[in-house]
Amino acid sequence: MSDKAAEPTNLHPDIIKFQNDILARYAVENQIAQKGQILFVGSSSMEIFPIDQRQQDLNLDKVIYNRGVRATTTADLLNHIDTLIFDLAPGKIFINIGSNDIGFNVPEDIFLANYDKILNQVKARLPDAAVYVMKYFPINTVDSFGGEGKQEHDQFYAHRSNELLEAANTKVEQVAERNGYKFIDVNTGLAGADGNLRKELTFDGAHLLPAGYEIVLGNMKKYLI
């Protein structure tokens, strides 16, 4: 039985083209990438992680490869799992996927089953890899960030909230533990007292600015070394 899953059909053609272009670029880059290194994989929260600019400062003995793709879901990752994970044969994987499943209102049982399939495949094909399943970053739905119409804003946040993300975190943690992997929270310092992502750390309420990633990276260092 195939582990492929249906991809969302409501994405803008420009986003689909971007996804196809970046997957094609990753496939080419994978041919010359070193095996056994560190992999960041997931959706836009990983894609825009400026790790290429920062990893030289970390003094690691491994290269970090970023294989994030915006607007992707657990189904997308399953459908392109060779390009995004296995072609690199990483020794350490940091995965942050599923926030778009929540945002696209993918049924929870499908979303969690997909996540379980991803981790099962990693366990079977990369048994010696260390895998870190990341807690979802908090978001900010209360402040205004400009640059978008009310309709687009309302549509984006129609099924996105910190409450929904927290509920999903609990279940994703269970999926990670069931597969023998560590669930990590590297979000300390991102949220204010009200639980929302701090306004100065995001450009749209859902995606981090470099200052936000600086906090995340600081929290991740103990897992990277």
Side-chain angles (χ1 to χ4, degrees):
M1 184 169 142
S2 173
D3 278 329
K4 283 188 174 290
E7 299 184 31
T9 58
N10 59 345
L11 293 178
H12 191 282
D14 288 347
I15 295 179
I16 294 174
K17 181 181 183 305
F18 175 88
Q19 291 175 333
N20 291 335
D21 288 348
I22 199 171
L23 285 164
R25 176 165 64 82
Y26 287 161
V28 172
E29 292 175 354
N30 289 347
Q31 295 176 31
I32 58 171
Q34 301 178 53
K35 308 297 185 185
Q37 305 302 302
I38 300 172
L39 172 66
F40 283 14
V41 65
S43 56
S44 56
S45 59
M46 293 303 257
E47 182 205 328
I48 65 174
F49 201 127
I51 196 60
D52 286 346
Q53 296 92 322
R54 288 302 324 277
Q55 62 179 305
Q56 194 168 19
D57 301 329
L58 296 172
N59 296 314
L60 300 175
D61 61 355
K62 301 286 186 183
V63 177
I64 301 174
Y65 294 108
N66 190 331
R67 293 296 180 264
V69 182
R70 71 190 60 178
T72 56
T73 63
T74 52
D76 297 315
L77 181 48
L78 269 176
N79 288 342
H80 303 286
I81 199 165
D82 286 333
T83 299
L84 297 175
I85 297 180
F86 295 124
D87 288 350
L88 290 161
K92 188 176 289 189
I93 302 170
F94 292 86
I95 181 169
N96 190 338
I97 191 73
S99 59
N100 286 318
D101 293 72
I102 298 164
F104 297 153
N105 205 15
V106 173
E108 185 179 86
D109 59 334
I110 295 175
F111 153 46
L112 295 174
N114 286 343
Y115 216 138
D116 194 53
K117 288 176 184 176
I118 293 165
L119 298 183
N120 262 281
Q121 286 197 34
V122 171
K123 184 166 52 175
R125 297 175 64 178
L126 297 171
D128 298 324
V131 179
Y132 299 91
V133 176
M134 296 172 64
K135 183 176 183 179
Y136 300 122
F137 300 147
I139 63 175
N140 183 326
T141 61
V142 298
D143 287 309
S144 175
F145 295 90
E148 60 184 8
K150 184 178 187 305
Q151 182 177 355
E152 289 82 1
H153 178 277
D154 291 348
Q155 183 178 8
F156 184 83
Y157 287 109
H159 204 256
R160 295 178 196 261
S161 69
N162 284 317
E163 291 75 20
L164 287 170
L165 291 170
E166 275 300 326
N169 278 324
T170 299
K171 294 174 181 177
V172 169
E173 181 175 12
Q174 294 170 355
V175 172
E177 291 177 348
R178 187 162 64 242
N179 284 278
Y181 295 135
K182 186 182 290 291
F183 180 83
I184 60 171
D185 178 356
V186 292
N187 299 349
T188 302
L190 292 181
D194 61 359
N196 288 299
L197 178 60
R198 289 160 50 196
K199 185 176 183 180
E200 68 271 20
L201 300 180
T202 176
F203 59 86
D204 63 356
H207 299 93
L208 298 177
L209 287 163
Y213 281 112
E214 196 68 28
I215 292 172
V216 172
L217 188 57
N219 294 332
M220 291 180 74
K221 280 183 181 177
K222 62 184 178 182
Y223 304 111
L224 288 166
I225 59 176

